Amino acid sequence: MSTAPDSAADEADRSAGLGGRDDAPGSEPRAASTVQIVDHALQVLKAVAEADRPRGVRELSRDLGISKSSVQRILASLEREGLAVAEESSRKYVIGPAALTLAWKHAANSDLVGAASATASRIAAMTGETACVSTVVDGRRVTVYEAESPQPLRLITGVGRPYSLFSGATGRVLLSMLPPEWLDRLLEEYTGTDTEVVLSRVDAARLDGYAISREEWIPGGCGVAVPIGTQGRVVAALSIYGPEARLSAERTAALVPVLRAAAAEITVRWRQPA
């Protein structure tokens, strides 16, 4: 049986690492190669989305370990779909407007957001502080729903923006709910200096059922977080954030039972069958 490519396009795909027939000893089957393409495209998309500045082909190739030609083709495809946009002057890329549709669809269809939005909004109105529902995405803390404080001076986290799990009350609560093997893997990647302090704080959050932070991720900011619970591989926490001037030690202590009751309410809704 012939092993020649069916077409010039098939040959080009194989040369570019985009599939093709497994006609050489030790080469990847087409399906496996195709999965690698998807993996690479997702890595590029996430790297562009999570960056705080435009990213170029050369640095993406270097940081991700993907060839420049492959990165260029992936970015061209993402640009055609509106998921990435190239700046005219630098030809570096930022996340595209089509990503907003994906984020909106997730928020609209998320069981967690649907279960938590009304309660979180009520907590924000009642406490006068920003209320957030957060989960773990790729080893980072991400807000999936946020009800902003009505106060002129307020703290916000931003829906979809990733933060370190190793700073702040919400991160500690989320870490306290992860399986031990997940926590161990995250600690292996932790670049801080004192893992014992991290573990002791996570253990305290697990034992107490809440966590409080002061000026850990923003000067003058305070956070209080409680666990919502676990649903399959998803862990979730409810938090409020505000300036330390309004969230004194006495007030944060008084708010813990309020947040616990709200989290229990969310948990019941979240775990109800659709």
Side-chain angles (χ1 to χ4, degrees), residues 38 40-51 53-55 60 71 73-87 92-105:
V38 176
H40 286 175
L42 291 174
Q43 289 173 35
V44 171
L45 177 60
K46 286 167 62 178
V48 171
E50 293 177 359
R53 57 181 174 77
R55 302 293 303 274
L60 286 168
V71 170
R73 282 191 295 273
I74 289 168
L75 287 169
S77 296
L78 294 176
E79 190 171 20
R80 282 196 299 272
E81 297 299 325
L83 290 167
V85 176
E87 294 186 329
K92 292 185 177 182
Y93 289 80
V94 296
I95 195 67
L100 290 172
T101 302
L102 298 179
W104 176 80
K105 279 290 188 182

Side-chain angles (χ1 to χ4, degrees), residues 52-265:
D52 55 5
R53 57 181 174 77
R55 302 293 303 274
V57 173
R58 186 184 300 274
E59 63 175 330
L60 286 168
S61 172
R62 180 196 64 220
D63 294 347
L64 300 175
I66 303 172
S67 71
K68 286 191 292 184
S69 58
S70 293
V71 170
Q72 182 64 71
R73 282 191 295 273
I74 289 168
L75 287 169
S77 296
L78 294 176
E79 190 171 20
R80 282 196 299 272
E81 297 299 325
L83 290 167
V85 176
E87 294 186 329
E88 288 189 15
S89 58
S90 66
R91 294 307 298 171
K92 292 185 177 182
Y93 289 80
V94 296
I95 195 67
L100 290 172
T101 302
L102 298 179
W104 176 80
K105 279 290 188 182
H106 169 75
N109 297 318
S110 167
D111 291 342
L112 176 58
V113 172
S117 56
T119 301
S121 296
R122 190 184 77 240
I123 289 295
M126 181 176 64
T127 64
E129 308 299 347
T130 297
C132 298
V133 177
S134 305
T135 187
V136 178
V137 179
D138 291 334
R140 310 283 294 277
R141 164 173 68 89
V142 174
T143 299
V144 296
Y145 182 81
E146 181 171 60
E148 289 190 24
S149 164
Q151 304 275 7
L153 177 62
R154 59 187 181 270
L155 270 65
I156 58 173
T157 62
V159 172
R161 184 176 179 181
Y163 294 89
S164 171
L165 281 164
F166 295 100
S167 179
T170 303
R172 287 197 288 280
V173 166
L174 290 170
L175 286 172
S176 74
M177 290 186 284
L178 293 178
E181 60 273 17
W182 290 15
L183 179 57
D184 290 343
R185 189 159 58 246
L186 288 170
L187 284 171
E188 288 176 1
E189 301 170 0
Y190 176 56
T191 57
T193 56
D194 200 339
T195 56
E196 291 303 319
V197 171
V198 171
L199 284 172
S200 66
R201 289 178 172 179
V202 172
D203 288 342
R206 186 182 299 111
L207 181 64
D208 297 338
Y210 70 93
I212 296 172
S213 63
R214 296 191 179 279
E215 297 192 291
E216 288 187 28
W217 60 279
I218 187 170
C222 181
V224 189
V226 298
I228 292 172
T230 304
Q231 185 82 292
R233 295 172 63 89
V234 180
V235 295
L238 174 66
S239 318
I240 57 170
Y241 296 103
E244 195 173 19
R246 289 201 302 262
L247 289 173
S248 64
E250 293 78 12
R251 186 168 185 235
T252 52
L255 286 173
V256 168
V258 175
L259 289 177
R260 280 176 165 164
E265 184 179 299

